[in-house]
Amino acid sequence: MESFERENIILEYLKNNNSSSIENLAKICNSSTMTIRRDLKRLKESRVMEQRNGIVYLKKDISLLPPYVYRKTLYKKTKQSMALKALEFINDGDVIILDAGTSCMEISYLLNERKNLTVITNDLDIASIASNYEITVYIAGGKIENRNNCSSSIETIEYIKRFRASKAFIGTSGITNDLYFCANSSDKVEIKKSMMDISNTTILMADSSKFDSASIISVRPLHDFDYIITNKIFSNDEIDIIERNGGKILNV
């Protein structure tokens, strides 16, 4: 089992059970206590959990923690599979947009497989990863959301609108029952709209956990995307709505 898988199991267990001994976590993960102590050290350094007298606790207000720290460990294999599917759309010489978020970040790790790419993003981590390769990287400026490691302000929107892109890969914080994707602030709504508007092809990156968990503000219907990359299994009625309006679902 990979470390991120164990960390995911530990976090989910603590969310449901409040606390645990190291020995119990080792049993749950089918790992040694030494291995679990290393995992816990990383989680403590990330301020996700704390340990007192041999007992491990999840931080009480997870919403105040840096979202990347927590989200990077969640559904990672699914996001990696989604990123591999997304890579099929990226050709040598493309200008692509990568929206902020962990799903799009997985794409950035694969970009060294393409040549002469240009990447536009508002995500600091994605820009840092992509800049390690022979890639031209533009990062949209503006006010930085410290806990999310991305820019999100009117300046970000204005910067994005200067470009034209061949493909945009967009993330979401939630999707409603009536198949609208959402964002958690008005700035992010406009950023996502702008990214879609300047791109020839738009692709939504959304693992199944994002469905039926809507965020604050609806952005656009799912069928506004050319493609939806997901592990979500849609009903026949949902497929009909999306495909009848021009969208296409790509399951991983």
Side-chain angles (χ1 to χ4, degrees):
M1 186 184 297
E2 299 289 340
S3 60
F4 69 82
E5 294 176 289
R6 292 192 302 272
E7 291 173 8
N8 190 16
I9 291 171
I10 290 169
L11 289 169
E12 288 299 317
Y13 183 86
L14 293 177
K15 281 173 64 179
N16 295 323
N17 297 276
N18 299 320
S19 64
S20 176
S21 67
I22 294 173
E23 290 74 17
N24 182 50
L25 293 176
K27 182 178 179 180
I28 293 168
C29 295
N30 194 27
S31 301
S32 68
T33 55
M34 183 178 297
T35 297
I36 296 301
R37 288 181 192 277
R38 287 197 295 267
D39 294 333
L40 295 177
K41 183 175 184 293
R42 285 191 295 271
L43 291 172
K44 284 188 288 185
E45 289 172 349
S46 299
R47 306 194 305 279
V48 170
M49 46 133 305
E50 56 191 354
Q51 183 179 340
R52 299 191 300 271
N53 301 322
I55 302 298
V56 179
Y57 303 86
L58 192 68
K59 290 281 191 178
K60 290 187 180 297
D61 193 350
I62 195 74
S63 67
L64 296 179
L65 299 175
Y68 265 14
V69 170
Y70 182 59
R71 299 202 316 265
K72 278 180 181 178
T73 66
L74 295 177
Y75 315 108
K76 190 172 181 69
K77 283 192 173 180
T78 297
K79 292 174 183 177
Q80 289 173 330
S81 297
M82 290 165 54
L84 284 169
K85 177 60 69 174
L87 187 65
E88 296 177 11
F89 288 89
I90 302 174
N91 303 314
D92 292 349
D94 271 349
V95 177
I96 66 170
I97 291 177
L98 294 181
D99 189 14
T102 55
S103 293
C104 290
M105 185 169 65
E106 291 298 335
I107 299 173
S108 67
Y109 289 116
L110 306 177
L111 296 181
N112 61 330
E113 299 185 25
R114 299 291 184 265
K115 297 179 181 179
N116 302 319
L117 286 182
T118 297
V119 173
I120 305 158
T121 186
N122 63 322
D123 188 300
L124 301 182
D125 286 353
I126 289 174
S128 177
I129 294 164
S131 65
N132 288 317
Y133 311 132
E134 294 299 319
I135 291 174
T136 300
V137 180
Y138 292 92
I139 184 161
K143 183 180 178 181
I144 299 297
E145 291 187 4
N146 295 333
R147 293 184 295 112
N148 286 319
N149 282 6
C150 68
S151 60
S152 179
S153 65
I154 185 63
E155 292 84 5
T156 312
I157 298 163
E158 291 173 350
Y159 187 86
I160 290 168
K161 288 180 177 179
R162 295 166 51 188
F163 294 89
R164 288 295 308 173
S166 45
K167 288 109 184 179
F169 298 88
I170 308 295
T172 178
S173 54
I175 296 170
T176 64
N177 290 329
D178 57 350
L179 301 181
Y180 275 74
F181 81 102
C182 301
N184 54 21
S185 73
S186 57
D187 283 344
K188 287 185 177 179
V189 167
E190 295 307 317
I191 287 170
K192 293 176 190 296
K193 286 181 178 179
S194 297
M195 288 177 168
M196 295 176 71
D197 288 344
I198 68 167
S199 302
N200 296 332
T201 302
T202 57
I203 301 154
L204 178 67
M205 306 289 291
D207 67 78
S208 59
S209 70
K210 300 298 176 65
F211 289 80
D212 302 325
S213 60
S215 190
I216 298 172
I217 308 172
S218 295
V219 183
R220 285 180 176 172
L222 291 195
H223 59 69
D224 274 9
F225 286 95
D226 297 297
Y227 299 94
I228 300 164
I229 298 179
T230 184
N231 64 328
K232 156 82 171 177
I233 303 301
F234 290 92
S235 69
N236 289 335
D237 287 343
E238 290 171 332
I239 294 171
D240 182 62
I241 291 170
I242 292 169
E243 295 190 346
R244 189 174 67 244
N245 287 281
K248 186 173 182 180
I249 300 165
L250 302 175
N251 281 110
V252 297

